[in-house]
Amino acid sequence: MMKRTVLSLIAIMLVALLGACSGKNAAGDDKTLLIGTSGGTFNFLLKRAIIPELEKKGYQVSFFEYQDIDELNGDLLEGEIDLNLFQHQAYLEQLKQEQDLPLSELIAVPTEPIGLFSEVYDTLDDIEEGAILTVPNDPVNLPVALNMLQEADLITLNPAVDVAVATEADIVENPKNLRIQPILEKQLPAALQSAELSVIPIATALTIDLAPTDALALEEVPDSFQTIFVVATENEDKPFAKDLVEVINSKEFADVMKPEEIYYVEKKEE
Protein backbone atom coordinates (compact mmCIF):
# COMPACT_ATOMS: atom_id res chain seq x y z
CA MET A 1 0.00 0.00 0.00
CA MET A 2 1.30 3.44 -0.91
CA LYS A 3 1.01 6.61 1.09
CA ARG A 4 2.07 10.18 0.49
CA THR A 5 4.80 11.54 2.71
CA VAL A 6 6.33 14.97 2.71
CA LEU A 7 9.36 15.48 0.52
CA SER A 8 12.38 15.77 2.80
CA LEU A 9 14.65 18.79 2.95
CA ILE A 10 17.53 16.57 1.95
CA ALA A 11 15.79 15.62 -1.27
CA ILE A 12 15.07 19.23 -2.15
CA MET A 13 18.62 20.30 -1.41
CA LEU A 14 20.06 17.46 -3.50
CA VAL A 15 17.96 18.59 -6.44
CA ALA A 16 19.10 22.16 -5.86
CA LEU A 17 22.76 21.19 -5.71
CA LEU A 18 22.51 19.25 -8.95
CA GLY A 19 21.18 22.28 -10.76
CA ALA A 20 23.01 25.13 -9.07
CA CYS A 21 26.14 26.71 -10.39
CA SER A 22 29.21 27.44 -8.32
CA GLY A 23 29.33 31.18 -8.88
CA LYS A 24 27.12 34.02 -10.03
CA ASN A 25 28.30 35.45 -13.31
CA ALA A 26 25.93 35.86 -16.22
CA ALA A 27 27.45 34.46 -19.38
CA GLY A 28 26.48 37.36 -21.63
CA ASP A 29 25.33 34.80 -24.17
CA ASP A 30 21.81 34.81 -25.65
CA LYS A 31 21.52 31.05 -25.18
CA THR A 32 23.26 30.75 -21.79
CA LEU A 33 21.20 31.86 -18.81
CA LEU A 34 21.94 32.29 -15.12
CA ILE A 35 18.98 32.61 -12.76
CA GLY A 36 19.23 33.90 -9.18
CA THR A 37 16.91 32.44 -6.52
CA SER A 38 16.44 32.40 -2.76
CA GLY A 39 16.49 28.60 -2.74
CA GLY A 40 14.09 25.93 -1.57
CA THR A 41 11.08 25.27 -3.77
CA PHE A 42 12.29 27.75 -6.40
CA ASN A 43 15.34 25.60 -7.10
CA PHE A 44 13.16 22.50 -7.33
CA LEU A 45 10.74 24.27 -9.68
CA LEU A 46 13.61 25.27 -11.96
CA LYS A 47 15.19 21.85 -12.03
CA ARG A 48 11.97 19.93 -12.48
CA ALA A 49 9.75 22.09 -14.66
CA ILE A 50 11.61 24.98 -16.29
CA ILE A 51 15.20 24.12 -17.15
CA PRO A 52 14.31 20.94 -19.10
CA GLU A 53 11.88 22.87 -21.29
CA LEU A 54 14.34 25.72 -21.88
CA GLU A 55 17.00 23.18 -22.81
CA LYS A 56 14.66 21.84 -25.48
CA LYS A 57 14.73 25.36 -26.93
CA GLY A 58 18.52 25.29 -27.08
CA TYR A 59 19.39 27.11 -23.84
CA GLN A 60 22.05 26.24 -21.30
CA VAL A 61 20.58 27.19 -17.92
CA SER A 62 22.03 27.23 -14.40
CA PHE A 63 20.99 28.92 -11.19
CA PHE A 64 22.61 30.40 -8.12
CA GLU A 65 21.07 30.34 -4.65
CA TYR A 66 21.54 33.58 -2.72
CA GLN A 67 21.82 33.75 1.04
CA ASP A 68 21.02 37.47 1.07
CA ILE A 69 17.90 38.32 -0.95
CA ASP A 70 18.84 42.00 -0.91
CA GLU A 71 21.51 41.20 -3.51
CA LEU A 72 19.20 39.60 -6.05
CA ASN A 73 17.81 42.73 -7.69
CA GLY A 74 21.12 44.55 -7.58
CA ASP A 75 22.92 41.71 -9.33
CA LEU A 76 20.15 41.55 -11.92
CA LEU A 77 20.60 45.23 -12.73
CA GLU A 78 24.38 44.81 -12.89
CA GLY A 79 24.13 41.88 -15.29
CA GLU A 80 25.52 39.32 -12.86
CA ILE A 81 22.39 37.23 -13.46
CA ASP A 82 19.85 37.20 -16.29
CA LEU A 83 16.67 36.62 -14.26
CA ASN A 84 15.66 36.26 -10.66
CA LEU A 85 12.94 34.30 -8.89
CA PHE A 86 12.23 35.14 -5.25
CA GLN A 87 9.88 38.12 -4.91
CA HIS A 88 6.19 38.79 -5.25
CA GLN A 89 4.56 41.49 -7.32
CA ALA A 90 3.67 43.76 -4.40
CA TYR A 91 7.27 43.77 -3.16
CA LEU A 92 8.65 44.59 -6.61
CA GLU A 93 6.16 47.40 -7.20
CA GLN A 94 7.00 48.97 -3.85
CA LEU A 95 10.72 48.83 -4.62
CA LYS A 96 10.18 50.42 -8.02
CA GLN A 97 8.16 53.25 -6.47
CA GLU A 98 10.81 53.91 -3.84
CA GLN A 99 13.92 53.51 -5.98
CA ASP A 100 12.74 53.82 -9.60
CA LEU A 101 14.44 50.54 -10.50
CA PRO A 102 14.38 49.49 -14.19
CA LEU A 103 13.05 46.01 -13.41
CA SER A 104 10.13 44.27 -15.07
CA GLU A 105 7.89 41.37 -14.14
CA LEU A 106 7.79 38.62 -16.74
CA ILE A 107 5.34 36.07 -15.37
CA ALA A 108 4.10 34.57 -12.11
CA VAL A 109 4.77 30.96 -11.10
CA PRO A 110 2.76 28.63 -8.85
CA THR A 111 3.21 29.99 -5.34
CA GLU A 112 2.85 27.95 -2.18
CA PRO A 113 0.89 29.63 0.62
CA ILE A 114 2.02 30.32 4.16
CA GLY A 115 0.33 28.77 7.16
CA LEU A 116 -0.06 29.30 10.88
CA PHE A 117 1.18 26.23 12.76
CA SER A 118 1.21 25.20 16.39
CA GLU A 119 2.13 22.19 18.46
CA VAL A 120 0.16 23.62 21.39
CA TYR A 121 -3.18 24.72 19.95
CA ASP A 122 -5.61 22.83 17.76
CA THR A 123 -7.76 25.76 16.57
CA LEU A 124 -7.60 29.55 16.38
CA ASP A 125 -10.11 29.77 19.23
CA ASP A 126 -7.71 27.85 21.49
CA ILE A 127 -4.97 30.49 21.24
CA GLU A 128 -4.32 32.00 24.65
CA GLU A 129 -3.49 35.54 25.71
CA GLY A 130 0.17 36.45 25.29
CA ALA A 131 1.16 33.46 23.15
CA ILE A 132 4.54 33.71 21.43
CA LEU A 133 4.21 33.87 17.64
CA THR A 134 7.22 33.71 15.32
CA VAL A 135 7.05 35.10 11.78
CA PRO A 136 9.60 35.41 8.94
CA ASN A 137 11.56 38.64 9.22
CA ASP A 138 12.51 39.26 5.58
CA PRO A 139 10.78 42.04 3.62
CA VAL A 140 9.21 39.61 1.15
CA ASN A 141 7.59 37.17 3.59
CA LEU A 142 6.86 39.35 6.63
CA PRO A 143 4.09 41.39 4.96
CA VAL A 144 2.57 38.16 3.63
CA ALA A 145 2.58 36.68 7.14
CA LEU A 146 1.00 39.76 8.68
CA ASN A 147 -1.67 39.90 6.00
CA MET A 148 -2.55 36.25 6.68
CA LEU A 149 -2.78 36.92 10.44
CA GLN A 150 -5.10 39.83 9.70
CA GLU A 151 -7.27 37.60 7.51
CA ALA A 152 -7.45 35.16 10.45
CA ASP A 153 -8.70 38.03 12.69
CA LEU A 154 -5.70 37.72 15.00
CA ILE A 155 -4.38 41.22 14.32
CA THR A 156 -5.40 44.41 12.52
CA LEU A 157 -2.94 46.40 10.44
CA ASN A 158 -2.96 50.15 9.99
CA PRO A 159 -5.20 50.67 6.93
CA ALA A 160 -3.10 53.66 5.90
CA VAL A 161 -0.07 51.40 5.36
CA ASP A 162 0.44 49.43 2.15
CA VAL A 163 0.31 45.79 3.21
CA ALA A 164 3.21 45.07 0.83
CA VAL A 165 5.57 46.86 3.20
CA ALA A 166 3.84 46.19 6.52
CA THR A 167 5.91 45.32 9.58
CA GLU A 168 5.00 44.44 13.15
CA ALA A 169 5.14 48.18 13.93
CA ASP A 170 2.03 48.62 11.76
CA ILE A 171 -0.16 46.41 13.95
CA VAL A 172 -2.87 48.60 15.49
CA GLU A 173 -4.96 45.88 17.12
CA ASN A 174 -3.73 42.69 18.76
CA PRO A 175 -6.67 41.44 20.87
CA LYS A 176 -4.85 38.38 22.20
CA ASN A 177 -1.67 40.38 22.88
CA LEU A 178 0.34 37.94 20.83
CA ARG A 179 4.07 38.34 21.33
CA ILE A 180 5.16 38.54 17.69
CA GLN A 181 8.82 37.75 17.07
CA PRO A 182 10.24 38.16 13.52
CA ILE A 183 13.10 35.71 12.87
CA LEU A 184 14.91 34.21 9.89
CA GLU A 185 12.67 31.97 7.80
CA LYS A 186 15.11 29.08 8.12
CA GLN A 187 14.80 29.29 11.92
CA LEU A 188 11.00 29.00 11.95
CA PRO A 189 10.77 25.19 12.07
CA ALA A 190 13.11 24.98 15.07
CA ALA A 191 11.39 27.92 16.77
CA LEU A 192 8.11 26.00 16.70
CA GLN A 193 9.54 23.83 19.46
CA SER A 194 9.64 26.78 21.86
CA ALA A 195 7.04 29.19 20.49
CA GLU A 196 3.34 28.43 20.76
CA LEU A 197 2.69 29.58 17.19
CA SER A 198 4.65 30.12 14.01
CA VAL A 199 3.83 31.43 10.55
CA ILE A 200 5.76 29.22 8.13
CA PRO A 201 5.79 29.06 4.32
CA ILE A 202 4.36 25.71 3.30
CA ALA A 203 7.52 24.65 1.45
CA THR A 204 9.48 25.16 4.68
CA ALA A 205 6.80 23.51 6.83
CA LEU A 206 6.93 20.39 4.67
CA THR A 207 10.57 19.88 5.64
CA ILE A 208 9.45 19.09 9.21
CA ASP A 209 6.52 16.92 8.14
CA LEU A 210 3.87 19.61 8.53
CA ALA A 211 1.27 19.48 5.77
CA PRO A 212 -1.11 22.28 4.73
CA THR A 213 -3.90 20.39 6.49
CA ASP A 214 -2.01 20.81 9.79
CA ALA A 215 -2.26 24.61 9.65
CA LEU A 216 -4.61 26.50 11.97
CA ALA A 217 -4.96 29.05 9.18
CA LEU A 218 -3.79 28.92 5.59
CA GLU A 219 -3.24 31.83 3.24
CA GLU A 220 -5.25 32.18 0.07
CA VAL A 221 -2.47 33.64 -2.07
CA PRO A 222 -3.68 36.89 -3.72
CA ASP A 223 -2.38 37.88 -7.14
CA SER A 224 -0.19 40.58 -5.61
CA PHE A 225 1.66 37.96 -3.54
CA GLN A 226 2.33 35.53 -6.39
CA THR A 227 6.04 34.87 -6.89
CA ILE A 228 7.28 36.31 -10.17
CA PHE A 229 10.18 36.01 -12.57
CA VAL A 230 11.89 39.39 -12.87
CA VAL A 231 14.24 40.70 -15.54
CA ALA A 232 16.05 43.97 -16.20
CA THR A 233 13.62 46.13 -18.18
CA GLU A 234 16.07 46.42 -21.08
CA ASN A 235 15.83 42.64 -21.52
CA GLU A 236 12.07 42.10 -21.18
CA ASP A 237 11.55 41.76 -24.94
CA LYS A 238 14.57 39.57 -25.61
CA PRO A 239 14.03 36.05 -26.99
CA PHE A 240 15.02 34.34 -23.71
CA ALA A 241 12.37 36.29 -21.82
CA LYS A 242 9.67 35.39 -24.33
CA ASP A 243 10.77 31.77 -24.37
CA LEU A 244 10.58 31.58 -20.57
CA VAL A 245 7.01 32.93 -20.62
CA GLU A 246 6.13 30.39 -23.31
CA VAL A 247 7.53 27.57 -21.18
CA ILE A 248 5.54 28.58 -18.10
CA ASN A 249 2.36 28.88 -20.14
CA SER A 250 2.90 25.45 -21.69
CA LYS A 251 0.97 22.23 -21.07
CA GLU A 252 4.25 20.51 -20.20
CA PHE A 253 4.83 22.97 -17.35
CA ALA A 254 1.25 22.61 -16.10
CA ASP A 255 1.52 18.82 -16.11
CA VAL A 256 4.65 18.89 -13.94
CA MET A 257 3.62 21.65 -11.56
CA LYS A 258 0.83 19.81 -9.79
CA PRO A 259 1.07 20.28 -5.99
CA GLU A 260 1.11 16.53 -5.31
CA GLU A 261 3.97 16.11 -7.77
CA ILE A 262 6.09 18.94 -6.35
CA TYR A 263 5.76 18.59 -2.62
CA TYR A 264 5.15 14.89 -2.11
CA VAL A 265 6.78 11.59 -3.01
CA GLU A 266 5.29 8.16 -2.65
CA LYS A 267 7.08 5.69 -0.42
CA LYS A 268 6.23 2.17 0.60
CA GLU A 269 4.52 1.91 3.95
CA GLU A 270 6.90 0.48 6.49
Side-chain angles (χ1 to χ4, degrees), residues 9-180:
L9 177 60
I10 293 175
I12 293 176
M13 292 308 295
L14 283 174
V15 172
L17 288 172
L18 286 171
C21 60
S22 59
K24 52 175 184 180
N25 286 296
D29 178 328
D30 287 343
K31 284 292 186 177
T32 304
L33 301 177
L34 176 56
I35 302 170
T37 81
S38 56
T41 302
F42 301 137
N43 293 1
F44 188 67
L45 179 155
L46 287 166
K47 183 69 178 179
R48 179 82 178 267
I50 294 176
I51 290 177
E53 296 304 315
L54 285 174
E55 288 177 340
K56 290 177 184 177
K57 292 178 177 292
Y59 291 93
Q60 293 183 340
V61 187
S62 55
F63 60 88
F64 181 82
E65 179 180 332
Y66 283 68
Q67 298 303 309
D68 183 355
I69 65 171
D70 289 336
E71 297 179 354
L72 274 153
N73 283 329
D75 278 5
L76 184 57
L77 289 171
E78 292 174 7
E80 291 288 314
I81 54 178
D82 301 293
L83 301 139
N84 69 37
L85 180 65
F86 80 99
Q87 61 200 316
H88 50 68
Q89 183 184 60
Y91 176 74
L92 176 64
E93 289 306 314
Q94 186 65 33
L95 277 182
K96 290 170 68 174
Q97 288 178 21
E98 292 175 351
Q99 303 178 34
D100 193 28
L101 300 177
L103 296 173
S104 296
E105 170 189 349
L106 282 184
I107 191 170
V109 298
T111 303
E112 78 276 1
I114 58 173
L116 177 63
F117 294 92
S118 176
E119 294 186 353
V120 177
Y121 306 120
D122 294 323
T123 69
L124 293 176
D125 291 336
D126 295 334
I127 298 173
E128 297 178 354
E129 177 95 6
I132 296 174
L133 166 62
T134 57
V135 296
N137 68 353
D138 65 87
V140 174
N141 286 306
L142 177 57
V144 179
L146 295 176
N147 185 58
M148 191 271 283
L149 292 172
Q150 179 168 247
E151 290 177 349
D153 295 325
L154 291 173
I155 63 170
T156 300
L157 296 170
N158 184 344
V161 174
D162 186 342
V163 69
V165 294
T167 70
E168 66 275 19
D170 299 311
I171 298 171
V172 293
E173 292 183 18
N174 182 359
K176 290 182 180 287
N177 292 312
L178 300 174
R179 290 181 284 169
I180 298 175

Side-chain angles (χ1 to χ4, degrees), residues 204-221:
T204 302
L206 290 170
T207 66
I208 55 171
D209 291 344
L210 289 174
T213 51
D214 296 321
L216 303 187
L218 194 64
E219 175 198 21
E220 291 188 12
V221 183

Side-chain angles (χ1 to χ4, degrees), residues 216-237:
L216 303 187
L218 194 64
E219 175 198 21
E220 291 188 12
V221 183
D223 289 345
S224 61
F225 285 152
Q226 294 282 342
T227 303
I228 53 177
F229 265 104
V230 175
V231 67
T233 300
E234 64 182 1
N235 293 329
E236 65 178 329
D237 292 322

